[in-house]
């Protein structure tokens, strides 16, 4: 399934991802403030852990998804959920509930038949030349995005200036980045937006070590600029990857991409030591800039 970047469903999907990313940025920006006030990593961990307890409320507040209820044969619960949604939206939908549930049941059964009839493994995707190309490109892009993002994020404490201010600025500046990504996705599409943010990240990363002799502050500015741009790329690939993956392979496709993203995040803290052991920070910043350019 693919969506044109201008259609209504695509815009809604874009907006939902925007709200999720804004929540992430809010939490990220709060972290240096809590760290500054606590001044102790034990206390900071306690604060973060206690805050997570709030999510337990979701057990009683959030309903199960309609598709999951139908898939598990909980038809009565599915009908109740549909009627509650209709009531909340002030729509008289009760007469059509039975038809809707039956249609979803048929769609679910058809999807299961397709899954069992067609091999949905990674090897099946690799056999198809189009899917093979998409999988290779997207896994590399996810790896690069995660690697560059976390390498700079984990290095903000070592940049010139106050570590708390650096971390706070790195978080706050993600807001205009994802805002621009949201606007560009609706106006120019996925591919051009991805290319723009990858090259916007590559340029300051490559420029950073060239300014080492001039000013350490300039390196900090370039590093945060590179991270700001790569955060926009992170926003885009979440939406784009889902849309280019076929329905039967979508979950597996996303899991494979996520696995390569995790590899990038695992390697990122070690990569920052390359610059510490060499005579300058030239190697690591050129590596991040080069990878971002290739991804673009």
């Amino acid at each position: 399934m693919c969506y044109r970047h201008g259609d209504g469903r695509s815009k809604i999907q874009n907006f939902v991802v925007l709200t999720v990313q804004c929540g992430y940025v809010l939490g990220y920006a709060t972290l240096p403030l809590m760290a500054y006030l606590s001044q102790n990593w034990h206390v900071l961990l306690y604060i973060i852990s206690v805050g997570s307890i709030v999510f337990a409320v979701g057990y009683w507040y959030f309903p199960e998804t309609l598709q999951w209820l139908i898939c598990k044969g909980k038809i009565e619960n599915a009908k109740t959920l549909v009627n509650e949604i209709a009531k909340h939206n002030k729509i008289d939908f009760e007469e059509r509930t039975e038809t809707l549930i039956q249609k979803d049941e048929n769609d679910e059964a058809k999807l299961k038949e397709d899954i069992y009839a067609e091999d949905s493994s990674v090897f099946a995707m690799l056999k198809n030349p189009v899917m093979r190309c998409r999988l290779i490109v997207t896994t590399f892009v996810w790896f690069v995005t995660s690697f560059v993002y976390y390498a700079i994020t984990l290095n903000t404490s070592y940049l010139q200036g106050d570590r708390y201010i650096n971390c706070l600025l790195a978080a706050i500046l993600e807001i205009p980045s994802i805002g621009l990504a949201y606007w560009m996705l609706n106006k120019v599409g996925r591919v051009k937006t991805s290319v723009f943010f990858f090259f916007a990240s590559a340029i300051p990363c490559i420029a950073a070590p060239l300014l080492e002799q001039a000013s350490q502050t300039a390196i900090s500015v370039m590093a945060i600029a590179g991270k700001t741009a790569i955060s926009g790329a992170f926003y885009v690939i979440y939406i784009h990857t889902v849309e280019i993956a076929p329905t039967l392979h979508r979950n597996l496709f996303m899991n494979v991409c996520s696995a390569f993203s995790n590899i990038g995040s695992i390697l990122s803290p070690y990569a920052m030591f390359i610059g510490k052991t060499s005579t300058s920070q030239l190697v690591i910043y050129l590596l991040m800039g080069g990878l971002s350019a290739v991804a673009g």
Side-chain angles (χ1 to χ4, degrees):
M1 179 184 295
C2 294
Y3 306 122
R4 296 187 303 275
H5 65 260
D7 64 24
R9 188 169 183 177
S10 176
K11 289 182 178 180
I12 293 173
Q13 184 181 5
N14 191 8
F15 180 75
V16 170
V17 176
L18 174 67
T19 57
V20 173
Q21 289 291 102
C22 285
Y24 168 80
V25 172
L26 179 62
Y28 181 12
T30 306
L31 183 62
L33 176 61
M34 292 190 296
Y36 177 78
L37 295 175
S38 63
Q39 294 290 320
N40 186 299
W41 69 271
H42 295 91
V43 177
L44 179 62
L45 284 180
Y46 286 135
I47 295 173
I48 295 173
S49 300
V50 171
S52 301
I53 298 176
V54 176
F55 293 103
V57 178
Y59 179 81
W60 294 278
Y61 183 75
F62 294 109
E64 289 291 351
T65 63
L66 184 61
Q67 288 299 115
W68 185 86
L69 291 172
I70 295 173
C71 181
K72 294 300 181 181
K74 300 178 182 291
I75 305 305
E76 292 303 320
N77 292 342
K79 292 178 182 178
T80 302
L81 177 60
V82 171
N83 289 329
E84 287 178 357
I85 295 172
K87 183 179 179 181
H88 178 79
N89 290 282
K90 299 178 181 179
I91 300 173
D92 186 10
F93 205 70
E94 191 167 354
E95 294 181 359
R96 295 178 56 193
T97 300
E98 190 74 34
T99 304
L100 175 67
I101 298 297
Q102 185 61 47
K103 180 180 181 300
D104 280 351
E105 276 190 280
N106 295 336
D107 290 344
E108 190 69 34
K110 179 65 168 60
L111 181 59
K112 285 183 178 179
E113 290 177 5
D114 291 341
I115 291 174
Y116 290 130
E118 182 177 335
D119 185 3
S120 56
S121 66
V122 176
F123 299 106
M125 286 193 290
L126 292 175
K127 290 178 182 177
N128 185 297
V130 175
M131 289 304 303
R132 182 168 60 246
C133 180
R134 289 184 181 183
L135 188 62
I136 292 172
V137 171
T138 51
T139 50
F140 176 74
V141 165
W142 277 69
F143 170 83
V144 171
T145 306
S146 184
F147 177 82
V148 175
Y149 180 88
Y150 287 106
I152 300 177
T153 298
L154 297 173
N155 194 50
T156 51
S157 298
Y158 301 100
L159 296 176
Q160 182 76 13
D162 186 86
R163 65 177 64 185
Y164 302 105
I165 299 298
N166 287 342
C167 186
L168 181 63
L169 284 175
I172 292 176
L173 288 175
E174 287 193 19
I175 296 177
S177 179
I178 63 176
L180 178 61
Y182 171 80
W183 179 83
M184 290 184 67
L185 283 174
N186 288 331
K187 294 295 182 181
V188 300
R190 276 56 169 148
V191 177
K192 292 179 181 178
T193 305
S194 298
V195 171
F196 170 80
F197 279 103
F198 278 118
F199 278 102
S201 176
I203 293 171
C205 284
I206 294 173
L210 303 179
L211 302 173
E212 184 177 15
Q213 300 301 322
S215 171
Q216 288 294 318
T217 302
I219 294 180
S220 300
V221 172
M222 290 294 102
I224 293 177
K227 178 185 171 297
T228 300
I230 206 68
S231 66
F234 233 140
Y235 175 87
V236 177
I237 64 174
Y238 269 108
I239 297 176
H240 197 189
T241 305
V242 171
E243 294 178 348
I244 64 174
T247 302
L248 297 181
H249 298 87
R250 186 165 294 131
N251 285 340
L252 180 61
F253 200 95
M254 290 296 295
N255 287 336
V256 173
C257 291
S258 180
F260 276 83
S261 173
N262 291 334
I263 294 173
S265 61
I266 290 170
L267 293 177
S268 60
Y270 300 102
M272 294 311 299
F273 285 101
I274 297 176
K276 300 291 186 295
T277 56
S278 62
T279 56
S280 71
Q281 302 179 71
L282 179 68
V283 177
I284 182 58
Y285 280 105
L286 286 180
L287 176 62
M288 291 191 295
L291 288 173
S292 295
V294 174

